[in-house]
Amino acid sequence: MPFFFFHPLRRRISYRYATLSRTGSLALCGWLALASGALAQAPATPIPRLTPLFPSQNRGQPQGTARLVGQVSNSVGQPVAGAQVQLEGMENPNQPIQTDERGAFELDHAPAGRRMLTVWHPDYEKAEQEILLQGGLTTPVDVVLQVPIRPQPRRRLGILGVGGLEHTQLLGQRLAIEAVRLGLIPNGEKVVPLDNRRIQPILQKVGWPIYELFEWDRRKPEAVGQFFDYLGLEAIVIARVDVLTRPASPTELSLRSRSRLELWRFDEQGNLVVDILAEASRDQVERSNLNAAELAQLYQIQVTQMAAEVGSRWKEHHPLAQYIELAQGEAPPPRSRLDTAVELRIPSATPTP
């Protein structure tokens, strides 16, 4: 169809659209005029104030100052009461700030900016920490105090469970617990059962993780000597456990474990000497559909059995008597500054051998 037949129709549509647009614009202008007149005649009402959802805690805090709240605890999470707190720029020796029974403290009107916070207590190492205080705001801070690590006289015998993997580490601790429970290493004044988690500050100071520090093939006399000095050890018994799990058949597993008690000591010439005190092993076949918890319990039973086997050999001759018994007139050594203990939670459902 030729194009000129649509031309008159397009002109009529454009004209009607323009007319509606002008009419709508006039109506809108009239409504705005009426609305502005009504607003001019309405009485002025104040704009309501909105209550803030999070009101400021520092309304009385002067400009340029801040508030500091803190918590002081030791390396095992216990609160430290009576610790003195000092903030750079707020030194006041006449009124020292101390933590309360919960280990908490707070400082008002502290100068804003980067400040050095110092906390000290006679039973712990001094701690220094740089903090940033914002004017008009509250800054929280957590301070952890470490037990002082200082050399002590070598007068104790330690016992420690060691393993290269997490599950063998736990089994090594289990062997150490059994050695103390069965009397292989009596829990007396001269014996220090060591908890792997509590000696981490010493390991950091020595510079080696526990498994590498007491590695059988590559010994480190200097590092072991520092470890002995910080814990006051004359010698240490290392309880070591190795396990091997492999298929015995399509439906069975072979569970094999080996326990070894090693004595690490220094001779009169200062040489590091390692002796094997006892070894024991177990091998059993179980079903192949064991879950991880059942497998761990079976290995714990094997460790308990091996510890009892070693104990039966030591009834007549105890290889650690010289380290355990006090000489006539000898006073027991003072308690170690590291209040260590062997801790290993065993599931209550663990079957006994």
Side-chain angles (χ1 to χ4, degrees), residues 239-312:
R240 200 185 303 273
V241 178
D242 296 316
V243 299
L244 176 63
T245 306
R246 61 182 179 181
S249 71
T251 59
E252 294 178 326
L253 283 177
S254 173
L255 310 182
R256 181 174 299 176
S257 59
R258 183 181 66 176
S259 294
R260 188 167 69 190
L261 295 176
E262 306 165 358
L263 179 64
W264 292 59
R265 60 185 178 86
F266 287 90
D267 60 16
E268 296 180 355
Q269 289 74 35
N271 301 315
L272 179 61
V273 180
V274 183
D275 301 318
I276 298 178
L277 298 177
E279 287 183 296
S281 61
R282 284 291 184 277
D283 191 1
Q284 67 186 88
V285 176
E286 295 289 339
R287 66 185 191 278
S288 61
N289 60 348
L290 294 172
N291 58 38
E294 293 170 335
L295 192 64
Q297 289 180 358
L298 289 174
Y299 276 128
Q300 289 170 8
I301 293 172
Q302 289 188 4
V303 169
T304 303
Q305 293 172 343
M306 288 184 285
E309 177 185 334
V310 172
S312 64

Side-chain angles (χ1 to χ4, degrees), residues 3-293:
F3 177 77
F4 62 87
F5 283 104
F6 290 95
H7 187 65
L9 180 61
R10 290 182 58 196
R11 292 184 61 184
R12 286 196 296 270
I13 292 176
S14 301
Y15 173 77
R16 289 181 180 180
Y17 177 76
T19 304
L20 289 174
S21 299
R22 288 195 298 269
T23 306
S25 300
L26 292 174
L28 178 60
C29 293
W31 182 86
L32 290 175
L34 291 175
S36 59
L39 291 174
Q41 296 176 1
T45 56
I47 299 177
R49 282 190 142 181
L50 299 179
T51 303
L53 294 178
F54 305 100
S56 174
Q57 298 179 355
N58 296 356
R59 292 182 178 178
Q61 198 76 29
Q63 291 293 330
T65 64
R67 181 169 176 263
L68 177 66
V69 295
Q71 177 69 40
V72 180
S73 58
N74 58 22
S75 57
V76 295
Q78 299 171 333
V80 178
Q84 294 196 20
V85 180
Q86 178 179 307
L87 181 67
E88 181 184 1
M90 292 189 67
E91 296 84 355
N92 188 358
N94 297 326
Q95 293 182 347
I97 299 171
Q98 293 187 344
T99 56
D100 58 17
E101 65 278 359
R102 300 170 301 167
F105 70 91
E106 62 179 76
L107 296 173
D108 291 323
H109 311 307
R114 293 191 178 275
R115 304 289 173 180
M116 184 64 67
L117 179 68
T118 305
V119 181
W120 69 93
H121 189 279
D123 293 337
Y124 298 92
E125 295 280 3
K126 180 188 292 186
E128 293 184 340
Q129 185 172 337
E130 188 181 51
I131 57 176
L132 176 61
L133 298 174
Q134 298 285 349
L137 299 179
T138 298
T139 301
V141 63
D142 292 324
V143 180
V144 178
L145 298 182
Q146 301 290 343
V147 175
I149 302 176
R150 303 187 183 97
Q152 305 177 50
R154 296 185 181 182
R155 299 181 56 188
R156 302 178 182 85
L157 173 67
I159 178 169
L160 177 66
V162 173
L165 302 174
E166 182 178 358
H167 62 283
T168 55
Q169 177 83 5
L170 292 176
L171 291 174
Q173 292 185 52
R174 175 62 181 262
L175 180 60
I177 291 174
E178 291 298 315
V180 175
R181 184 181 69 85
L182 296 174
L184 307 183
I185 303 179
N187 193 7
E189 297 289 343
K190 296 188 65 174
V191 176
V192 183
L194 301 174
D195 180 5
N196 296 357
R197 294 165 296 180
R198 301 282 294 277
I199 61 175
Q200 291 306 312
I202 291 181
L203 296 176
Q204 293 176 2
K205 199 172 184 67
V206 172
W208 292 96
I210 191 65
Y211 180 73
E212 295 186 21
L213 179 63
F214 292 101
E215 196 171 9
W216 176 270
D217 298 327
R218 290 176 288 184
R219 301 168 191 175
K220 308 165 183 63
E222 183 178 353
V224 174
Q226 293 178 358
F227 186 84
F228 278 25
D229 286 335
Y230 290 137
L231 284 170
L233 300 180
E234 184 180 2
I236 188 170
V237 175
I238 298 298
R240 200 185 303 273
V241 178
D242 296 316
V243 299
L244 176 63
T245 306
R246 61 182 179 181
S249 71
T251 59
E252 294 178 326
L253 283 177
S254 173
L255 310 182
R256 181 174 299 176
S257 59
R258 183 181 66 176
S259 294
R260 188 167 69 190
L261 295 176
E262 306 165 358
L263 179 64
W264 292 59
R265 60 185 178 86
F266 287 90
D267 60 16
E268 296 180 355
Q269 289 74 35
N271 301 315
L272 179 61
V273 180
V274 183
D275 301 318
I276 298 178
L277 298 177
E279 287 183 296
S281 61
R282 284 291 184 277
D283 191 1
Q284 67 186 88
V285 176
E286 295 289 339
R287 66 185 191 278
S288 61
N289 60 348
L290 294 172
N291 58 38

